[in-house]
Amino acid sequence: MPRPSSPPVAHTLKTLDRTLTRFRAAGETVALVPTMGALHAGHLTLVKRAKRKAKRVVVSIFVNPTQFAPNEDFSSYPRTLNDDVAALSELGVDLVWAPSPEVMYPDGFATRVVPEGPALAGLEDAFRPHFFAGVATVVSKLFGQVRPDFAMFGEKDFQQLAVVTRMAADLDLRVKIVPVPIVREKDGLARSSRNVYLSQEERARAPALHRTLQACAKKIAGRRPIAATLAAGRKGLEAEGFAVDYLEARHAETLAPITSRRDGPIRLLVAAKIGTTRLIDNLAV
Ligand code: PAF
């Protein structure tokens, strides 16, 4: 049962509009935290950051079908609305926006936002080609529905952050995208809902991902050649038992490949499997 201090939950555009109109009439700023629910500590960090940024905080909870491929886990994706609302009640969230798929994609829906640039960087898009069009479509709808002044996105999904930032600028969406730094365990492992799938032995090896990024960043900052540094990093990860999808140095905004430190601010990005669990991480140089 939701506790008395639970935030109100809007399921229809009419209810959403009623609350937002009240906020706007009082001249209050609004920050949106877009989520697919199953909230964990990482999401709660986004909410806390949103609280510092704006007077009102709206958390959207919507498991977006358009960002799942047919072979992915859309139907089994956890849907835990009551628990999520309870988790948010301590944090002073003003409204939860939880539309049904029919509200988000009514009969006759026929428009997709298909991002390019960082969405075609050959990183996550190479493994999930449908993903960023689904994200861009739903995020632009969420922005249209909530019309937030700020929207919080975690740096953990760095390519998603770059795609949404580019989209908001390109489409004049008048929302400030706020990047929120990765929350890490004490040993450096980035927090992720997937970490629970790691066996004890895999969990012990998983921090090598962050250690490798740190070591590569240090070498590149110290002017060691980028390609050789990444090749050695990749080898090290493989020796630790990772199957590496990519370990790349990219321009921190465009995600274009980087061959020299002069090419711009550098972000290192990695995706690798340990056992059956695929982990991603990234770090600024
Ligand atoms: O990062 C997520 O949880 C999702 O991709 C998002 C941004 C909520 C869009 O469905």
Side-chain angles (χ1 to χ4, degrees):
M1 278 294 281
R3 280 178 259 172
S5 56
S6 290
V9 182
H11 295 286
T12 65
L13 283 165
K14 204 170 159 189
T15 322
L16 175 72
D17 286 345
R18 202 180 302 135
T19 307
L20 290 173
T21 304
R22 208 157 31 79
F23 296 162
R24 297 282 177 218
E28 294 166 342
T29 51
V30 174
L32 172 67
V33 181
T35 81
M36 296 209 300
L39 302 182
H40 54 68
H43 294 112
L44 304 186
T45 306
L46 298 182
V47 173
K48 286 179 195 155
R49 184 81 184 83
K51 281 293 289 179
R52 298 210 303 274
K53 206 72 204 165
K55 175 82 180 149
R56 298 290 186 177
V57 174
V58 177
V59 175
S60 64
I61 297 183
F62 178 66
V63 184
N64 175 34
T66 64
Q67 67 191 74
F68 289 80
N71 63 328
E72 291 179 343
D73 55 347
F74 172 68
S75 51
S76 61
Y77 196 88
R79 287 158 173 83
T80 54
L81 185 63
N82 287 345
D83 289 349
D84 292 343
V85 172
L88 293 172
S89 57
E90 303 295 316
L91 300 180
V93 167
D94 297 283
L95 184 67
V96 173
W97 169 225
S100 64
E102 294 71 30
V103 167
M104 189 60 87
Y105 299 116
D107 271 354
F109 183 86
T111 302
R112 256 175 9 122
V113 179
V114 183
E116 297 181 353
L120 301 178
L123 299 166
E124 288 306 294
D125 53 301
F127 298 86
R128 305 182 72 189
H130 57 283
F131 179 71
F132 288 114
V135 169
T137 301
V138 81
V139 169
S140 51
K141 280 188 64 91
L142 289 167
F143 288 172
Q145 292 160 348
V146 177
R147 284 162 282 115
D149 302 282
F150 304 97
M152 324 306 288
F153 285 84
E155 287 187 342
K156 168 93 185 337
D157 295 303
F158 199 78
Q159 191 176 5
Q160 171 172 276
L161 168 65
V163 168
V164 169
T165 304
R166 186 72 255 167
M167 177 184 79
D170 288 351
L171 302 183
D172 304 314
L173 298 181
R174 310 295 168 95
V175 51
K176 169 107 183 60
I177 306 300
V178 181
V180 180
I182 296 174
V183 182
R184 297 185 180 280
E185 304 294 349
K186 280 206 179 85
D187 58 13
L189 178 66
R191 287 228 179 127
S192 159
S193 39
R194 289 187 172 163
N195 293 352
V196 297
Y197 301 132
L198 298 169
S199 69
Q200 216 177 345
E201 197 255 323
E202 289 162 353
R203 174 64 189 80
R205 277 187 288 143
L209 216 51
H210 179 55
R211 278 201 308 274
T212 301
L213 289 176
Q214 282 180 312
C216 290
K218 198 168 166 202
K219 285 186 194 169
I220 293 169
R223 300 183 187 282
R224 302 270 279 279
I226 294 178
T229 299
L230 296 176
R234 190 181 183 113
K235 251 183 151 177
L237 282 173
E238 284 164 359
E240 289 273 357
F242 284 88
V244 181
D245 283 343
Y246 57 79
L247 170 60
E248 298 265 343
R250 295 298 182 99
H251 187 284
E253 278 163 31
T254 64
L255 302 187
I258 288 262
T259 51
S260 144
R261 284 177 69 237
R262 282 189 305 274
D263 289 348
I266 302 179
R267 196 87 185 183
L268 301 180
L269 300 106
V270 67
K273 261 191 178 162
I274 183 158
T276 53
T277 307
R278 187 171 184 274
L279 301 174
I280 59 172
D281 201 349
N282 63 83
L283 192 70
V285 171

